[in-house]
Amino acid sequence: MSECYSNCSKEGSCKSRARRTKPKMGKTRFFNKPARRERSVPTQCVPALAPSTPAQRESFTPYITREEAIEGVMSGKYVRGTVAINKKYSSAICFVRNAKQWNDVDILIEGKTDRNRAFNGDVVIVEIKPEEEWKSKDKEKPTNHDAAAVTSVHIRSREEDMKLPKDQRSKLPDNRPVCRALAVLQSRNKQAEEDPLADAPKPNLSKDMLITGRIVHIWKQDHQTKHVARALGPAERKTWIRFASYDDKYPHIEVHRNDLKEFQPLLENTEGFLVYLELMREWGDKRFFPQARILKLLGAADQVEVESRAILVQNGTDYTDEFDEECMKVIPDKVPIPSEAELLKEGRRDMRLGAKHERFVCTIDPATARDLDDALSCHDLGGGHYRVSVHIADVCTFVPFGSALDQEALKRATSVYLVQKVIPMLPRKLCEEHCSLNTLGDKLAFTVEWVMDAKGNITSEWMGQTVIRNQCKLAYENAQSIIDGNFDPNSIDLAHISPSRRAWTVERIKESVKGLWKIAEHIRAARHARGALSLNQAKMYFDFEDYNSNMAPKGWHMHETAEANWLVEEFMVLANARVTEKCIEYCPEVSLARYHSPPDASRFESLIKALGEQGLKLNVGSGKALSTSLDNISKHPQIEAIRALTIRCMMLAKYCCTSESADHSLSHFALNLPLYTHFTSPIRRYADLVVHRVLKVALEIEALVKRKLREGVAEEDIVVTPDDVPSGYLLLPEADVTEIALRCNTRKEEARKASDQSIVLYYCLYLQSLYKRWEADGRTEYKERHKATLTKVQEKSFNIFVESLGLDRELFHDNGHKDQRWLGTNKKNAKQGSMCIQWEEGLFEEASVLHRWDVLVWYKKESKNLDFVCQICPPDRSELVGEVGADLA
């Protein structure tokens, strides 16, 4: 008889196994769309879990019931929050957060017992420990803003504003009053309405101490359930085989041996393959590790496509570039260009050449770009004034609100860029054809247009939907050559332009780029004079024989942004900022903003100390002070490492609903702007798509309000509901906008990590190909020499920044893998960012943040997956010391 399932009511007679059950339909968190699942484990059937040791049997405390959790939270005994594991699951600590309700206070969860089987992202119920068990914490050193600091804009609620005199109500940065015509929207968030804890008392949590707690209940499982993993050892004579997820925020996972029978190669070589597995819903309190079942065998661990799939899955991208039929059916066969009458009815301006509002439009993008979502036009009006237009793909016209395509786009939230491919947010028919502003036809756009002088001072502004035609696709290199005065017209593709008009087209292209650059220079200088930061880092790019193949790259180079990149960036930043103001002016509480909080000065302590020891000063009192400091040390030989450290010390920029201005500022520290959002990349970011919808409604409300004012209606008497404007249905209530913002924040960070890991993967492939080539020629092992800077010291490890590669590597003090040449365990003081490396018996090298080494880099051929060694070269023996400082002894 086959092994029984302990919780199954049929006991030994049960013939079904988890992997043979029929799939059940679940629901996603957004729009309640049914999610396709490959297989499902019924809660009444889980494998018999026989704990192997007494310690495992007593590992965890059973959860309280849901009823007890509700009663405890409503009485103030418990609190509810979300688990955040910042580093690795094996780390001794994690936090539980509820930023909205707890005013950014975190509860510290120490040890796996108190974590009690909760995963990263789960919504949990926490019992706060007695105050005597709380931890002391270093006091934060708040940043003191100087006179150049960005102005903070506070948007009050409609109810609050209407009680105030007109001149005291919410205003935009230029003192324009916020229009309060829009009525308060009723929430569509059924989940929030049905939340039994919605009226729970707000806990009074101290900011002066690290509050500690224990998790007593999983309120909602909101963690990643599907993982790419690899076995930690052979399957021989084992009932349970342990796997390690590629996501370090998850524990080791156990799979029953019977689940491997479908995958014969895995039984024969358990450690040589990557598997795609799904965590079981229940993690019993008698098991030390969670259990899972294997969904599919992905392939050998050192194959680039397999490793790329692992990167995607571990970073929340559990999908491909394919979209289902339900998503695709709303996409038209061709771009629906309105007739002249339809344009007039829609209020959409015709900006094609020959039309009344004609504009000469060009795009400037990377040479290999296909998803062209922004274009520019510039016309010299004479008298020192220019008409500058930013044209953005009108994606919201092609993505019906609430459709299956809209739900899928929200689920993805962003396109993910790997070295060899893009996993798009939208189908390629939209990304690369209908919405891409290429030169092959007329396109629908959303345009922001200004009349401005050569210094970028705006005298008039217009926003609205348009029809355009791109006259030329320029690469950044083409635009740069125009700026530098060495442009070759033969370097651009003008096959779509009739021969008789090509010379004229070339002259218009040059005039446009030169005009745009002239203005962008002044805008950039003024923005940086106000305190905007420029922290762009060089990025590794790879050279391929065939870009579309899976072959290893033949080389790599570091790419830095040039003036042509800045040209585009300045106008995109300006458009984003101006659109934010327009949205808040007419939809003040339901718009989507992007804010960036000032950094905590204490994060910079080790960097300030290290620079001070070199006689250099880093002032973080404001954005302007920090920008000036970085400019003053721009010639420093380790400037790339200093920039990397500065970025690490900064807070992350985040999306939020504009109603949150009561909780935190909406200003953007790095850009030194009082209001900001993302509007210019709707093909690849869902946040931008939301902003397009809000802007469309805001413009309709503006037109309606101005018409009523002309008709003599008093401003106080104007009330607009979503039903009063054609696109009002596109507006979402605050709770829904907040939920979307949280989703976009999570996915943006996951996409960034996936992109970074893909670069590391392809650098490994590059080193592997060189190793094989040198081995075939009978030469010694290929190694590259680089400079590296110490950037962080931790209890068990430290980080170095390999300057010429732009890569960060974590090295471990104990040298357990024997990749390094030092002895034993290094001495360290993580708080002060200092350490001592023991190179010989009784001889040490002292190092602190910004300490610099030579490092050797080579392919790690003995590794079970694609990896490389980064070995620190020992210093000259004369630089070693026999004694270490008291703080490291």
Side-chain angles (χ1 to χ4, degrees):
M1 183 181 295
S2 62
E3 231 180 309
C4 184
Y5 294 80
S6 59
N7 292 340
C8 178
S9 59
K10 297 181 181 179
E11 298 184 359
S13 63
C14 178
K15 296 180 181 179
S16 68
R17 290 203 176 273
R19 59 178 173 270
R20 294 175 188 160
T21 58
K22 294 181 179 179
K24 295 182 179 180
M25 299 299 288
K27 289 187 177 181
T28 62
R29 289 183 294 161
F30 306 101
F31 298 105
N32 294 326
K33 177 191 174 185
R36 291 189 301 278
R37 298 182 59 183
E38 297 178 36
R39 285 176 289 191
S40 171
V41 181
T43 55
Q44 76 272 17
C45 289
V46 296
L49 309 179
S52 57
T53 68
Q56 290 181 2
R57 284 196 295 269
E58 300 173 3
S59 291
F60 302 109
T61 304
Y63 296 135
I64 62 174
T65 65
R66 192 172 182 84
E67 290 71 25
E68 290 171 327
I70 294 172
E71 182 181 348
V73 173
M74 297 305 291
S75 68
K77 180 180 178 181
Y78 305 138
V79 294
R80 179 175 66 174
T82 302
V83 176
I85 299 175
N86 294 334
K87 296 181 181 178
K88 299 180 178 180
Y89 187 88
S90 57
S91 172
I93 64 172
C94 73
F95 295 92
V96 173
R97 295 174 175 158
N98 188 332
K100 185 91 174 165
Q101 196 178 33
W102 300 351
N103 294 325
D104 292 326
V105 175
D106 291 343
I107 295 177
L108 174 66
I109 309 295
E110 293 186 290
K112 296 176 184 176
T113 301
D114 284 347
R115 197 180 303 174
N116 203 6
R117 297 163 285 159
F119 294 109
N120 185 57
D122 283 344
V123 180
V124 297
I125 305 299
V126 177
E127 178 183 19
I128 296 176
K129 291 186 176 182
E131 195 168 334
E132 56 268 22
E133 295 186 42
W134 295 1
K135 309 289 182 181
S136 60
K137 66 177 181 179
D138 297 332
K139 291 188 177 180
E140 293 183 353
K141 297 182 179 180
T143 302
N144 296 316
H145 292 283
D146 60 21
V150 63
T151 303
S152 179
V153 175
H154 174 52
I155 308 298
R156 300 182 190 88
S157 69
R158 187 178 191 277
E159 183 181 6
E160 291 174 316
D161 255 354
M162 296 306 286
K163 292 177 182 178
L164 296 173
K166 195 172 179 180
D167 61 345
Q168 295 180 21
R169 294 176 186 172
S170 303
K171 290 183 174 62
L172 296 172
D174 60 1
N175 280 325
R176 274 180 293 162
V178 170
C179 177
R180 303 310 321 210
L182 181 64
V184 177
L185 273 67
Q186 297 301 312
S187 176
R188 303 177 192 173
N189 191 326
K190 294 182 180 179
Q191 186 177 354
E193 293 172 359
E194 298 167 359
D195 184 2
L197 302 181
D199 298 323
K202 192 172 184 177
N204 184 21
L205 303 178
S206 169
K207 287 190 174 183
D208 299 327
M209 299 285 287
L210 274 175
I211 301 169
T212 58
R214 62 176 66 88
I215 294 172
V216 297
H217 181 79
I218 307 294
W219 181 261
K220 179 185 177 184
Q221 290 187 336
D222 211 3
H223 58 265
Q224 182 178 327
T225 59
K226 294 177 181 178
H227 293 257
V228 173
R230 185 175 187 161
L232 294 174
E236 298 173 352
R237 298 182 299 279
K238 290 182 181 178
T239 303
W240 292 92
I241 295 89
R242 195 181 305 171
F243 286 78
S245 169
Y246 263 48
D247 190 337
D248 290 339
K249 293 182 180 180
Y250 286 80
H252 290 168
I253 301 165
E254 290 185 327
V255 174
H256 198 275
R257 182 182 179 83
N258 288 343
D259 207 31
L260 272 63
K261 291 180 179 178
E262 291 183 15
F263 311 99
Q264 191 60 35
L266 194 58
L267 280 172
E268 297 169 359
N269 181 14
T270 313
E271 299 168 277
F273 291 90
L274 296 186
V275 299
Y276 189 45
L277 51 78
E278 182 177 37
L279 289 171
M280 291 185 178
R281 186 172 179 81
E282 303 296 331
W283 180 357
D285 54 37
K286 299 293 190 292
R287 294 297 297 180
F288 196 68
F289 299 107
Q291 285 74 51
R293 59 197 178 84
I294 296 174
L295 298 175
K296 66 174 70 171
L297 189 64
L298 293 179
D302 59 352
Q303 293 179 358
V304 62
E305 281 304 314
V306 175
E307 294 283 355
S308 293
R309 179 72 189 279
I311 288 172
L312 290 170
V313 171
Q314 79 181 69
N315 288 294
T317 309
D318 187 18
Y319 45 78
T320 67
D321 58 357
E322 298 297 324
F323 289 75
D324 64 25
E325 186 178 346
E326 191 70 16
C327 291
M328 298 299 293
K329 74 179 185 181
V330 300
I331 301 175
D333 293 332
K334 60 181 182 179
V335 178
I337 301 300
S339 65
E340 189 173 340
E342 290 170 333
L343 287 171
L344 189 63
K345 183 179 178 181
E346 290 180 20
R348 188 186 289 270
R349 286 188 181 179
D350 189 348
M351 291 188 172
R352 292 170 289 187
L353 291 184
K356 177 182 177 181
H357 300 285
E358 73 169 16
R359 305 289 183 262
F360 187 87
V361 178
C362 296
T363 55
I364 306 175
D365 289 281
T368 57
R370 297 178 182 175
D371 50 349
L372 314 181
D373 47 15
D374 59 82
L376 292 163
S377 59
C378 179
H379 180 59
D380 189 342
L381 299 175
H385 284 79
Y386 297 81
R387 182 174 55 228
V388 176
S389 308
V390 174
H391 311 277
I392 307 300
D394 187 5
V395 176
C396 65
T397 295
F398 294 93
V399 182
F401 176 78
S403 65
L405 179 58
D406 190 25
Q407 295 170 42
E408 182 65 21
L410 176 54
K411 172 189 169 185
R412 299 181 179 218
T414 181
S415 295
V416 181
Y417 290 81
L418 304 183
V419 169
Q420 82 281 25
K421 62 182 177 182
V422 179
I423 308 298
M425 182 185 79
L426 295 171
R428 295 197 185 277
K429 192 170 184 64
L430 291 182
C431 292
E432 299 175 8
E433 296 180 33
H434 291 1
C435 295
S436 184
L437 305 181
N438 51 49
T439 58
L440 301 180
D442 299 333
K443 301 292 180 179
L444 303 181
F446 224 129
T447 296
V448 180
E449 185 169 88
W450 309 281
V451 172
M452 57 175 60
D453 63 21
K455 293 186 177 180
N457 298 310
I458 298 171
T459 58
S460 68
E461 178 179 71
W462 179 85
M463 298 179 188
Q465 292 172 296
T466 56
V467 179
I468 64 169
R469 176 172 284 218
N470 181 12
Q471 299 301 308
C472 179
K473 177 187 175 184
L474 293 173
Y476 283 121
E477 293 80 4
N478 301 136
Q480 189 62 47
S481 67
I482 294 174
I483 294 169
D484 295 338
N486 55 11
F487 175 61
D488 177 10
N490 295 319
S491 65
I492 58 176
D493 181 9
L494 294 178
H496 57 287
I497 304 293
S498 64
S500 62
R501 291 177 59 87
R502 286 178 189 170
W504 175 84
T505 300
V506 168
E507 288 306 309
R508 288 297 304 270
I509 291 169
K510 291 161 65 176
E511 289 173 13
S512 296
V513 172
K514 288 177 181 178
L516 289 167
W517 171 239
K518 181 180 179 180
I519 300 169
E521 263 192 312
H522 288 288
I523 295 176
R524 184 176 181 81
R527 199 161 59 82
H528 283 269
R530 293 193 303 268
L533 293 171
S534 180
L535 295 173
N536 292 328
Q537 288 186 276
K539 189 175 181 181
M540 181 182 279
Y541 280 74
F542 294 95
D543 306 315
F544 294 89
E545 290 287 355
D546 179 2
Y547 189 81
N548 294 315
S549 76
N550 286 329
M551 294 180 65
K554 64 179 182 179
W556 57 271
H557 64 277
M558 301 303 291
H559 176 75
E560 296 188 27
T561 55
E563 292 164 324
N565 300 77
W566 299 344
L567 181 159
V568 176
E569 178 185 324
E570 289 307 319
F571 289 110
M572 296 305 121
V573 168
L574 181 60
N576 285 334
R578 300 294 293 190
V579 164
T580 315
E581 293 182 13
K582 182 63 71 175
C583 289
I584 291 178
E585 184 178 2
Y586 289 98
C587 302
E589 295 175 72
V590 292
S591 296
L592 187 71
R594 185 161 178 80
Y595 73 99
H596 185 214
S597 299
D600 170 12
S602 63
R603 294 187 177 202
F604 286 90
E605 281 184 353
S606 60
L607 179 57
I608 291 172
K609 177 185 174 184
L611 287 170
E613 291 171 352
Q614 299 181 26
L616 302 172
K617 186 177 181 181
L618 188 69
N619 187 340
V620 297
S622 70
K624 181 173 177 57
L626 179 56
S627 179
T628 301
S629 297
L630 291 172
D631 286 343
N632 291 339
I633 59 175
S634 60
K635 303 300 182 184
H636 194 287
Q638 294 169 276
I639 187 61
E640 287 299 322
I642 293 170
R643 284 199 184 107
L645 270 167
T646 301
I647 292 171
R648 184 179 294 165
C649 294
M650 305 285 269
M651 308 294 282
L652 286 176
K654 294 180 179 179
Y655 298 107
C656 72
C657 180
T658 47
S659 63
E660 292 180 27
S661 67
D663 303 321
H664 56 75
S665 171
L666 298 180
S667 62
H668 198 292
F669 177 79
L671 295 174
N672 200 259
L673 290 170
L675 294 171
Y676 196 65
T677 195
H678 277 162
F679 161 77
T680 54
S681 296
I683 288 177
R684 60 185 178 88
R685 290 189 304 230
Y686 192 83
D688 301 52
L689 180 56
V690 172
V691 172
H692 274 234
R693 289 169 173 166
V694 176
L695 178 60
K696 187 174 183 180
V697 179
L699 293 173
E700 292 174 355
I701 293 175
E702 179 183 31
L704 177 60
V705 169
K706 289 182 176 179
R707 179 171 60 81
K708 291 197 173 189
L709 288 173
R710 288 194 301 269
E711 293 171 354
V713 181
E715 184 179 342
E716 300 289 312
D717 296 332
I718 300 175
V719 178
V720 179
T721 69
D723 293 335
D724 295 329
V725 290
S727 304
Y729 66 94
L730 295 175
L731 281 186
L732 291 168
E734 295 174 30
D736 294 8
V737 176
T738 298
E739 186 178 359
I740 289 171
L742 292 172
R743 175 65 178 169
C744 291
N745 288 334
T746 299
R747 289 294 299 126
K748 186 173 181 64
E749 184 62 11
E750 289 173 338
R752 182 195 63 78
K753 290 179 180 177
S755 182
D756 290 347
Q757 290 166 11
S758 179
I759 290 172
V760 173
L761 171 63
Y762 269 80
Y763 182 59
C764 289
L765 285 172
Y766 163 75
L767 292 175
Q768 182 192 53
S769 68
L770 286 175
Y771 163 75
K772 291 180 177 178
R773 201 181 311 160
W774 281 46
E775 185 181 49
D777 293 343
R779 292 184 283 181
T780 56
E781 193 168 42
Y782 175 82
K783 295 182 180 181
E784 292 187 343
R785 182 178 287 266
H786 300 278
K787 292 288 186 182
T789 296
L790 176 62
T791 56
K792 187 177 183 180
V793 178
Q794 301 171 94
E795 192 60 34
K796 295 182 180 181
S797 63
F798 62 97
N799 289 68
I800 60 172
F801 180 78
V802 187
E803 298 162 21
S804 49
L805 301 178
L807 299 179
D808 189 88
R809 294 293 283 180
E810 183 180 21
L811 306 178
F812 291 88
H813 293 295
D814 64 6
N815 193 18
H817 297 294
K818 305 302 179 186
D819 292 332
Q820 305 298 331
R821 293 163 64 182
W822 61 69
L823 306 178
T825 302
N826 298 323
K827 300 178 184 296
K828 62 272 181 187
N829 186 324
K831 187 175 180 180
Q832 294 188 13
S834 57
M835 54 184 276
C836 275
I837 296 179
Q838 184 178 10
W839 290 105
E840 297 182 28
E841 203 64 50
L843 291 178
F844 298 85
E845 178 188 20
E846 295 179 332
S848 58
V849 168
L850 287 190
H851 189 87
R852 205 178 195 193
W853 292 283
D854 280 350
V855 294
L856 293 176
V857 176
W858 70 89
Y859 171 63
K860 192 172 183 178
K861 59 181 182 295
E862 65 276 9
S863 176
K864 293 176 181 176
N865 57 341
L866 289 167
D867 198 5
F868 64 91
V869 175
C870 192
Q871 185 186 79
I872 294 177
C873 298
D876 188 273
R877 205 165 186 272
S878 62
E879 298 178 33
L880 303 179
V881 297
E883 295 183 4
V884 298
D887 61 329
L888 291 167

